[in-house]
Amino acid sequence: MLGKWFKRSKKTAAHFDPICPDEPFVAIGDIHGRFDILQRLPVDQPGSQLVFLGDLIDRGEQSADVLKAVFAASGAICLMGNHEEMMLDFIANPADRGARWLRFGGLQTLASFEVSGISQTSPGAELERARDELVDAMGQDLLDWVTNLPKFWTSGNVAFVHAGADPTLPINAQDKNALLWGHQDFGNVDRTDGTWIVHGHTIIDAPEMKPGVISIDTGAYATGNLTAATIVPGDVSFKYI
């Protein structure tokens, strides 16, 4: 069962239409390798589309298990997060991109795939060896799935993204860096197209809803609080898993 209710809101600003997805959604915040928490999510979500907001991996110790579970989740939508992008950058160019990824949680992901003997200061040849072992451990199907994760998803007047969006641009015209890493005006400048943005990436003490923005990254890897936001026409409610 999902954890206890702790916030419920139907308030919107006058210039924002009420939130109205085409179908009910349950959005899941950044998991970061906490498979132990993910296992609490009910398998059956009747009538609701499940969408993961990215950052399945890194920092937590069970990234491999999380990736495999979400990959196998029939019908679930999963977005790419900046940590998935860093892993793919490492796979493409371990010598130049490896140290950064390892510094931000890649070491835990490698360990979860039983790739060891590597550190942030490892030379290029060792990083390439680790890359090859990671690719072998993941398998082509899982690697292809991660590579092709979408960077946003829309339903009605709701857009699901990992980190944020440039408020001056439509969602389908966003730069990938804004979607994966955030934008300086996101949350500070109101959108004018009436689109609600549901996002993770930025850790907050508790999920929150303000006009046009729903934020649900509650730092699960450190706090143990993974947020699920149930979004239906006219209503948003939050639970900890």
Side-chain angles (χ1 to χ4, degrees):
M1 295 290 293
L2 290 175
K4 80 175 203 182
W5 292 95
F6 57 92
K7 182 176 178 182
R8 187 177 180 91
S9 176
K10 294 184 179 181
K11 294 181 179 179
T12 59
H15 63 285
F16 261 93
D17 289 337
I19 194 164
C20 192
D22 292 333
E23 59 181 320
F25 276 82
V26 177
I28 307 297
D30 303 29
I31 300 171
H32 278 304
R34 288 297 301 268
F35 184 62
D36 57 324
I37 301 175
L38 181 63
Q39 286 180 296
R40 303 173 196 163
L41 180 68
V43 174
D44 207 9
Q45 293 282 339
S48 295
Q49 173 67 60
L50 195 61
V51 56
F52 295 89
L53 298 184
D55 278 8
L56 303 180
I57 62 169
D58 296 348
R59 294 179 172 156
E61 304 295 331
Q62 303 157 319
S63 293
D65 290 332
V66 173
L67 272 182
K68 292 172 184 177
V70 176
F71 173 54
S74 176
I77 296 164
C78 184
L79 304 182
M80 184 174 291
N82 61 302
H83 283 261
E84 283 78 37
E85 182 185 54
M86 283 192 289
M87 181 180 72
L88 294 173
D89 286 345
F90 165 76
I91 289 171
N93 190 344
D96 290 341
R97 301 297 184 91
R100 183 190 191 202
W101 180 51
L102 299 180
R103 185 166 64 252
F104 289 105
L107 282 172
Q108 290 92 330
T109 296
L110 288 175
S112 75
F113 281 100
E114 300 185 350
V115 178
S116 59
I118 204 77
S119 74
Q120 296 176 33
T121 58
S122 294
E126 283 300 302
L127 293 171
E128 290 176 2
R129 186 267 305 168
R131 182 270 312 276
D132 294 344
E133 291 184 12
L134 174 61
V135 169
D136 288 345
M138 290 181 68
Q140 196 61 49
D141 289 346
L142 181 58
L143 179 56
D144 287 346
W145 177 76
V146 175
T147 301
N148 292 293
L149 289 175
K151 296 177 178 63
F152 66 89
W153 189 268
T154 60
S155 178
N157 67 350
V158 189
F160 300 86
V161 305
H162 173 62
D166 182 340
T168 68
L169 295 175
I171 295 301
N172 60 6
Q174 296 284 322
D175 181 87
K176 75 167 187 172
N177 286 332
L179 298 173
L180 298 184
W181 294 90
H183 189 277
Q184 62 183 1
D185 292 332
F186 177 65
N188 299 314
V189 177
D190 288 339
R191 299 189 64 82
T192 59
D193 61 4
T195 299
W196 287 81
I197 306 294
V198 182
H199 75 104
H201 183 69
T202 301
I203 296 174
I204 51 180
D205 291 335
E208 61 184 25
M209 176 179 176
K210 59 184 181 180
V213 177
I214 297 167
S215 308
I216 65 169
D217 181 8
T218 45
Y221 76 94
T223 66
N225 296 328
L226 177 63
T227 293
T230 298
I231 302 169
V232 300
D235 187 37
V236 177
S237 53
F238 303 112
K239 291 181 181 180
Y240 285 145
I241 296 171

